[in-house]
Amino acid sequence: MVRKRGSLILCGAFLFVACNGLLLLFLWGRTPIGRFGEGGGAEPGGREEWGVAKTKGGGTNLAGEVIRLAEEVESELETQKELLKQIQSHRSLWEKRRGMGRRQTDGGKVENKEKEHKPPPQLSAVPPKDDSENKDQSPEENTPELIITAVRDSKGDTQLDNEIKELTDYTKLNVTVISPQVVIPILVIACDRVTVKRSLDKLIQYRPSAELYPIIVSQDCGHAETAQVIGSYGSQVAHISQPDLSVIRVRPEHRKFQGYYKIARHYRWALNQVFNTLSHSTVVIVEDDLEVAPDFFEYFRALHPILTSDPTLWCASAWNDNGREGLVDPGKADLLYRTDFFPGLGWMLLKDIWAELEPKWPTAFWDDWMRHPEQRKERSCIRPEISRTMTFGRKGVSLGQFFDQYLRYIKLNTDFVPFTKQDLSYLMKENFDVNFVKQVYSAPLIKVEELQQGGGLTGTGPYRVQYSSRDNFKVLARNLGVMDDLKSGVPRAGYRGVVSFLSRGRRVFLTPPEGWTKYDVSWS
């Protein structure tokens, strides 16, 4: 397409120069301009108006006519020179883009080293409307528009921006870049639970587009009945199988944790398939015992640009660890937070983060490993007030740990929130931190007994309850009904040490003292 367009432009340039050459020959050979009966021109104003004067002998000033024609030719050549510059600029830009495109081998397969290249931008000129429609508009509004469809890098595309600026400078067109929607695959981690059907049914029910949200079910364990359930969905899902089903050799005291080792191995293989084999740039990971909310896809679609543009974020999660009935505000389904605790249980990961994690991926307990400072690197995740996933799987390697006490009571959102139509820039660190700290530490400081009795409190808050040590935090958390465990000093759902929740209908912040700077990793 680019080669054809470049050829057409060169042909047009040649015809333009040829026509102007014929026009020049005509101008040199024509009769001098004048009135009828005086040598011929028909234009009003005669010789004086056109700069042609009689000599004393009654003849025409030939030298003046030659000078005028030379000036016209010089002006015309300057115009042609500028046009040729623009044509050459267009051609070089298109050649650059064509060089970045995918090259195919003789067998028709794309070479691996070319898979990482972005597709060349598609350009289409939008002609201006009829002058009668635009007569009341400004010159800028009448300028023709050049539409470029191109995939930008997640952290920006300086080369593309420079080329667009060059195009704008030469063509004087309004250049608009349209980025096509990113494909966000859903990776379902499965093993031997035939109840994966419940998870897949909801994903397919709420999925707005099979093209934008392909569902990839990666199965470990080799469980035939589960494989049959997954296969029953046909082309609605892609079914891949982890090939290494061997027993992993572990030290004797870890034999009871064999399942955790297999899960870590499976995650590593499945994520490599998504990012390296299938070449996706992002993924949302769910497990086979999770049910999703109606706005699950909308939620992650809206958070993708926030995640890619803020380097202090490294994941977006659908899960609130303290998302039980009574601890969340049912009227705030659109409320989102930053959190320093890695939540998991339905989370978005980018390819560049996986490239960082994969070489040092652990052999077991991958989720706790993600919560170590060496992996987190002071980065945060996004979490909702009301969870967009809920777990229904008591059976698993954890043998129901936390399920009966916490997980089964997590509230699943039921209202569709149009996140993609909202301004979520408040989640960027530079915006969120200032407002969050101000809101938290301007709240009245109270004792937990005042919350429990409630007699002297008016309104719905917010109120602040302060902890001073690891043991103090655990006591207060238990009294208030929130999860009391810490990982490397970070409380579940916490941000800057602050845990936000509802207690008896009032917004409460469980906080460290004002002036907090960092987590104490010994609080674990």
Side-chain angles (χ1 to χ4, degrees), residues 229-436:
V229 170
I230 298 168
S232 69
Y233 287 88
S235 61
Q236 294 182 94
V237 305
H239 184 192
I240 59 177
S241 297
Q242 203 280 106
D244 186 0
L245 304 181
S246 63
V247 174
I248 300 173
R249 296 183 62 183
V250 300
R251 58 184 188 267
E253 62 270 24
H254 272 212
R255 285 174 184 166
K256 62 182 179 180
F257 299 131
Q258 178 78 205
Y260 290 100
Y261 283 84
K262 289 185 176 182
I263 288 174
R265 178 176 68 184
H266 185 194
Y267 263 82
R268 184 176 201 162
W269 180 84
L271 288 170
N272 276 329
Q273 291 297 304
V274 170
F275 289 125
N276 301 330
T277 303
L278 300 176
S279 300
H280 289 293
S281 62
T282 187
V283 68
V284 174
I285 304 133
V286 299
E287 296 190 3
D288 55 359
D289 62 346
L290 290 181
E291 181 178 323
V292 302
D295 57 356
F296 174 85
F297 294 94
E298 175 79 0
Y299 174 79
F300 283 111
R301 172 64 62 184
L303 287 179
H304 180 265
I306 301 295
L307 186 59
T308 57
S309 60
D310 187 343
T312 68
L313 292 172
W314 71 322
C315 87
S317 174
W319 183 260
N320 176 4
D321 278 294
N322 291 314
R324 299 169 61 187
E325 289 274 6
L327 295 178
V328 295
D329 188 341
K332 294 289 183 66
D334 61 341
L335 183 58
L336 307 179
Y337 296 88
R338 295 173 69 98
T339 177
D340 296 324
F341 192 91
F342 172 72
L345 294 172
W347 56 289
M348 176 180 279
L349 175 68
L350 300 178
K351 185 174 185 177
D352 57 351
I353 300 295
W354 176 242
E356 171 193 326
L357 298 175
E358 195 273 341
K360 53 181 181 176
W361 190 252
T363 55
F365 309 109
W366 70 269
D367 48 350
D368 280 344
W369 176 83
M370 291 278 287
R371 294 161 184 151
H372 293 172
E374 296 79 12
Q375 278 64 253
R376 192 173 72 81
K377 297 180 179 178
E378 298 186 354
R379 293 173 293 194
S380 304
C381 297
I382 301 297
R383 70 150 178 101
E385 169 78 0
I386 304 177
S387 291
R388 264 59 188 186
T389 56
M390 64 168 287
T391 178
F392 54 82
R394 190 178 187 280
K395 172 191 172 185
V397 293
S398 65
L399 302 177
Q401 182 187 20
F402 292 133
F403 183 83
D404 291 330
Q405 188 177 0
Y406 291 104
L407 302 182
R408 66 184 298 180
Y409 301 109
I410 294 294
K411 176 180 172 59
L412 180 67
N413 180 61
T414 56
D415 299 325
F416 185 93
V417 177
F419 285 112
T420 57
K421 294 179 171 59
Q422 296 182 355
D423 181 5
L424 300 182
S425 62
Y426 72 90
L427 293 167
M428 304 288 283
K429 183 175 177 62
E430 63 270 20
N431 301 326
F432 190 89
D433 282 15
V434 174
N435 295 326
F436 184 71

Side-chain angles (χ1 to χ4, degrees), residues 436 439-441 443 445 463-469 472-473 476 480 495-501 508-514 516:
F436 184 71
Q439 181 187 22
V440 168
Y441 289 99
L445 180 61
Y463 296 101
R464 180 162 59 98
V465 175
Q466 186 169 292
Y467 62 88
S468 56
S469 67
N472 184 219
F473 170 82
L476 291 173
L480 293 167
Y495 185 66
R496 297 178 59 91
V498 178
V499 180
S500 175
F501 57 96
V508 177
F509 299 121
L510 182 57
T511 76
E514 191 170 4
W516 177 96

Side-chain angles (χ1 to χ4, degrees), residues 16 78-88:
F16 182 81
E78 284 297 322
T79 301
Q80 292 180 30
K81 182 179 177 181
E82 289 299 317
L83 287 172
L84 287 172
K85 281 183 179 180
Q86 292 186 27
I87 291 168
Q88 185 61 36

